[in-house]
Each structure stands twice: as structure tokens, then as C-alpha cells.
């Protein structure tokens, strides 16, 4: 994945977040399927992983760096869901997502293109910086597709 592709993804994701402002509060908080997250929780989950990356991983990436493991996924994701449902409203969460994506874009723009090949570990998982971004962008796209399918199905 090229530098420009990463930035393009984050820019288009910001525009997509803006579109989510059109959802009603019912659509925003309704579980996407039985016993599944809401759109709000999905968006908070993505934002919270971006924030974690910006604070705990990306500032420490260098060739051969060994970083602490990712936090417990269940607990971390549960906290994101709680945040979406009990701390912020829809507009605030979307603004936070856009600000966070702006920070990701700034980070990417400040990395030398050659540095995307740097290898590092998060716990026992090995990544290059490029692979790290690929994984998280793939994760974004997975949740975007789920949300888009739900939103388009409800319009039919």
C-alpha cells in the first residue's frame, strides 16, 4: 500500500463519517444485528483504535522496536461501545473521528516513504509500518461495509 493510498483512504473515511450525520438517533444506536454493536459503537471502536495507535504505537515505531502487546480486545472494545452510548453524542463522535483521522493523515505525511518498511513488534506480532496501516485500513473497510449494507437495506 502506497503512502498516497493511505492518505486517500483516511480522507475518504472522513467524508464517509460526515455522511453518517444524516442517520437518525434510532439508526445510530440500534444494534446492527441481534446481539451486535450499533453503528455508534462501531464508529467509536474505530476511533478508539486510531487514538490508541497514535498514542501508544506510532510515536514509538522504529526499526526493530518491541512495543507492549495490544490491550485486551474485549475490554477495549467494550469501553468504546460504552463511550459511544453513554459519553458522547452522534455529532461529537463524528467530529472526534474526523479530528483523529486528521491526526493520522498528519502522521503519515510526516513519515519518510522509505520508513514504511520499518519492522517492529507489538507484543508477539510483527509488522512493517506499511503492514500496520494495511491491517487497520482493512479493518476500517470491514466495518464500513457492514454499516453501508445496513443503511442501504433500511432505505429499501
Amino acid at each position: 500500500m502506497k503512502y498516497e493510498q493511505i492518505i486517500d483512504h483516511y480522507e475518504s473515511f472522513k467524508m464517509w463519517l460526515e455522511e453518517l450525520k444524516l442517520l437518525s438517533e434510532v439508526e445510530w444506536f440500534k444494534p446492527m444485528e441481534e446481539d451486535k454493536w450499533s453503528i455508534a459503537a462501531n464508529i467509536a471502536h474505530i476511533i478508539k483504535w486510531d487514538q490508541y495507535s497514535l498514542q501508544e504505537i506510532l510515536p514509538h515505531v522504529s526499526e526493530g522496536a518491541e512495543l507492549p502487546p495490544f490491550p485486551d480486545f474485549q475490554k477495549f472494545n467494550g469501553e468504546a461501545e460504552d463511550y459511544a452510548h453513554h459519553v458522547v453524542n452522534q455529532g461529537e463522535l463524528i467530529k472526534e473521528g474526523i479530528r483523529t483521522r486528521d491526526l493520522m493523515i498528519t502522521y503519515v505525511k510526516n513519515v519518510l516513504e522509505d520508513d514504511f518498511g520499518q519492522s517492529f513488534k507489538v507484543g508477539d506480532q510483527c509488522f512493517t509500518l506499511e503492514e500496520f496501516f494495511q491491517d487497520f485500513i482493512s479493518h476500517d473497510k470491514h466495518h464500513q461495509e457492514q454499516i453501508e449494507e445496513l443503511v442501504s437495506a433500511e432505505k429499501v
Side-chain angles (χ1 to χ4, degrees):
M1 175 165 276
K2 298 282 184 243
Y3 164 90
E4 296 84 15
Q5 291 172 301
I6 296 168
I7 292 171
D8 286 349
H9 169 76
Y10 288 138
E11 289 289 357
S12 66
F13 194 89
K14 286 172 26 184
M15 290 187 288
W16 180 74
L17 283 174
E18 285 284 349
E19 293 172 16
L20 295 181
K21 287 180 179 177
L22 301 174
L23 296 176
S24 71
E25 193 171 310
V26 170
E27 292 169 307
W28 183 248
F29 289 112
K30 179 179 156 192
M32 292 176 60
E33 292 178 40
E34 190 174 330
D35 297 323
K36 296 288 183 182
W37 285 346
S38 64
I39 292 173
N42 269 283
I43 298 303
H45 159 80
I46 291 168
I47 293 167
K48 291 301 181 185
W49 279 111
D50 279 355
Q51 291 169 343
Y52 179 86
S53 296
L54 284 163
Q55 294 165 5
E56 305 297 330
I57 295 177
L58 297 174
H60 309 290
V61 168
S62 61
E63 184 60 41
E66 295 192 13
L67 307 177
F70 290 110
D72 175 80
F73 292 128
Q74 292 294 92
K75 183 175 186 280
F76 189 90
N77 294 338
E79 289 169 358
E81 180 181 26
D82 186 60
Y83 181 75
H85 284 261
H86 304 291
V87 178
V88 293
N89 67 36
Q90 181 177 355
E92 291 166 342
L93 188 61
I94 290 169
K95 279 183 197 167
E96 187 176 345
I98 291 168
R99 277 193 313 272
T100 303
R101 287 297 159 119
D102 283 336
L103 292 171
M104 293 294 274
I105 290 165
T106 299
Y107 176 86
V108 171
K109 285 181 175 179
N110 287 311
V111 173
L112 298 173
E113 204 155 347
D114 290 345
D115 289 344
F116 281 97
Q118 291 179 335
S119 296
F120 63 99
K121 288 176 100 175
V122 179
D124 60 0
Q125 296 180 12
C126 296
F127 298 94
T128 64
L129 191 54
E130 181 180 11
E131 291 167 342
F132 184 81
F133 279 105
Q134 282 176 332
D135 280 2
F136 275 91
I137 287 171
S138 177
H139 174 254
D140 285 352
K141 289 179 178 179
H142 166 73
H143 287 296
Q144 273 183 288
E145 287 170 10
Q146 290 177 316
I147 292 167
E148 287 171 5
E149 281 178 26
L150 178 69
V151 170
S152 64
E154 287 184 356
K155 289 181 180 175
V156 174

